[in-house]
């Protein structure tokens, strides 16, 4: 285990906390997926991570949200009942720690949490009051706000197409519980017939008759 003091480190670390999901590979062996942990600090060359999984020097790690392509575990140590490790980035662009990109990633998490919270509050109102035009307009406003930010994110955050696909997948996962209350939205996300089936979704919309309860 390599335990570097601040004086010995080549790059200054900044305190930072963020939960993450990641994948891991060891040499040429098969990857281990769906692991979780939290980032505890960042620098211009990498970041520190804390996790339940026993990391070791030489492991290769990918964050599943697309913010880095690959990093190498440089040191690892047992910390209470968890593990801490230092990750050196392999991506020459150092996308993960670019300040503008990182600010947008943080804003995306904040806007997603706000989006879900607003819809959940509205869902509670739907269960305890009569559904009316005012609620419909609130749904439209919540959706428009999220769409507006997502458009700004895609245009300005600096992620490439492959990275955006991973971020979109994470957004779908995080919002699935609330948005799947809608029959039509659920159809467009899971493709129950194995393909988009847009004509069936449009037929349902044109009938203008609710297919779900509450907010859905």
């Amino acid at each position: 285990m390599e335990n570097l003091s601040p004086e010995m480190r080549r790059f200054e670390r900044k305190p930072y906390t963020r939960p993450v999901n990641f994948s891991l590979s060891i040499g040429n062996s098969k990857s281990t997926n769906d692991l979780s942990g939290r980032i505890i600090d960042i620098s211009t060359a990498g970041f520190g991570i804390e996790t339940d999984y026993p990391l070791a020097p030489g492991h290769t790690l990918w964050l599943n949200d697309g913010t880095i392509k690959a990093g190498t575990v440089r040191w690892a140590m047992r910390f209470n009942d968890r593990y801490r490790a230092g990750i050196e980035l392999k991506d020459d662009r150092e996308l993960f720690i670019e300040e503008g990109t990182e600010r947008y990633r943080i804003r995306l998490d904040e806007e997603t949490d706000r989006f879900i919270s607003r819809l959940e509050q509205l869902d509670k109102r739907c269960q305890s009051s009569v559904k009316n035009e005012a609620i419909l307009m609130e749904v439209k406003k919540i959706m428009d706000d999220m769409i507006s930010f997502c458009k700004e994110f895609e245009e300005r955050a600096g992620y490439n197409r492959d990275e955006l696909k991973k971020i979109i997948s994470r957004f779908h996962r995080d919002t699935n519980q609330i948005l799947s209350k809608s029959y039509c939205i659920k159809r467009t996300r899971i493709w129950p017939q194995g393909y988009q089936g847009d004509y069936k979704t449009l037929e349902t919309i044109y009938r203008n008759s609710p297919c779900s309860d509450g907010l859905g």
Side-chain angles (χ1 to χ4, degrees), residues 23 27 69 85 93 100 105 112 122 125 127 167 194:
S23 301
K69 293 180 180 178
R93 289 177 19 179
R105 192 212 57 74
T112 302
L122 204 55
R125 282 177 52 193
Q127 296 172 17
I167 292 169

Side-chain angles (χ1 to χ4, degrees), residues 11-55:
F11 303 97
E12 179 186 358
R13 293 190 177 188
K14 299 177 183 178
Y16 180 74
T17 299
R18 169 187 162 196
V20 290
N21 294 304
F22 63 93
S23 301
L24 198 68
S25 67
I26 306 169
N28 296 321
S29 64
K30 186 177 180 180
S31 296
T32 301
N33 301 313
D34 300 323
L35 301 173
S36 63
R38 67 183 181 95
I39 291 172
I40 54 178
D41 57 48
I42 60 174
S43 74
T44 57
F47 58 93
I49 189 171
E50 184 176 283
T51 177
D52 292 329
Y53 191 87
L55 300 174

Side-chain angles (χ1 to χ4, degrees), residues 144-161:
D144 286 347
D145 288 347
M146 192 70 230
I147 290 171
S148 177
F149 174 75
C150 287
K151 182 175 184 294
E152 178 185 346
F153 182 91
E154 289 189 12
E155 292 175 350
R156 300 184 181 182
Y159 291 98
N160 63 39
R161 185 179 297 274

Side-chain angles (χ1 to χ4, degrees), residues 27 45 80 88 102 104 122 150-151 163 181 209:
N80 295 328
E88 181 180 37
E102 181 61 10
Y104 265 109
L122 204 55
C150 287
K151 182 175 184 294
E163 292 160 345
K181 290 177 179 288
S209 178

Side-chain angles (χ1 to χ4, degrees), residues 44-45 67-71 88-98 163:
T44 57
T67 51
I68 66 168
K69 293 180 180 178
E88 181 180 37
L89 296 181
K90 289 184 176 180
D91 188 348
D92 293 336
R93 289 177 19 179
E94 296 181 347
L95 178 62
F96 173 71
I97 46 82
E98 288 180 3
E163 292 160 345

Side-chain angles (χ1 to χ4, degrees), residues 1 9 38 52 63 68 95 139 149 151 155 168 180 188 200 202 208 215:
M1 186 278 293
R9 293 189 179 116
R38 67 183 181 95
D52 292 329
L63 296 190
I68 66 168
L95 178 62
V139 171
F149 174 75
K151 182 175 184 294
E155 292 175 350
I168 290 169
S180 64
T188 62
K200 284 187 173 292
L202 290 172
N208 197 30
L215 180 66

Side-chain angles (χ1 to χ4, degrees), residues 167-215:
I167 292 169
I168 290 169
S169 177
R170 183 165 65 96
F171 178 82
H172 281 190
R173 182 198 67 205
D174 293 345
T175 59
N176 186 63
Q177 184 172 355
I178 187 68
L179 291 183
S180 64
K181 290 177 179 288
S182 162
Y183 169 81
C184 287
I185 291 179
K186 187 174 182 179
R187 265 196 61 88
T188 62
R189 285 188 162 194
I190 67 173
W191 296 3
Q193 296 165 289
Y195 56 92
Q196 291 95 325
D198 291 344
Y199 71 97
K200 284 187 173 292
T201 304
L202 290 172
E203 286 175 354
T204 302
I205 293 172
Y206 291 149
R207 282 199 295 271
N208 197 30
S209 178
C211 298
S212 312
D213 296 325
L215 180 66

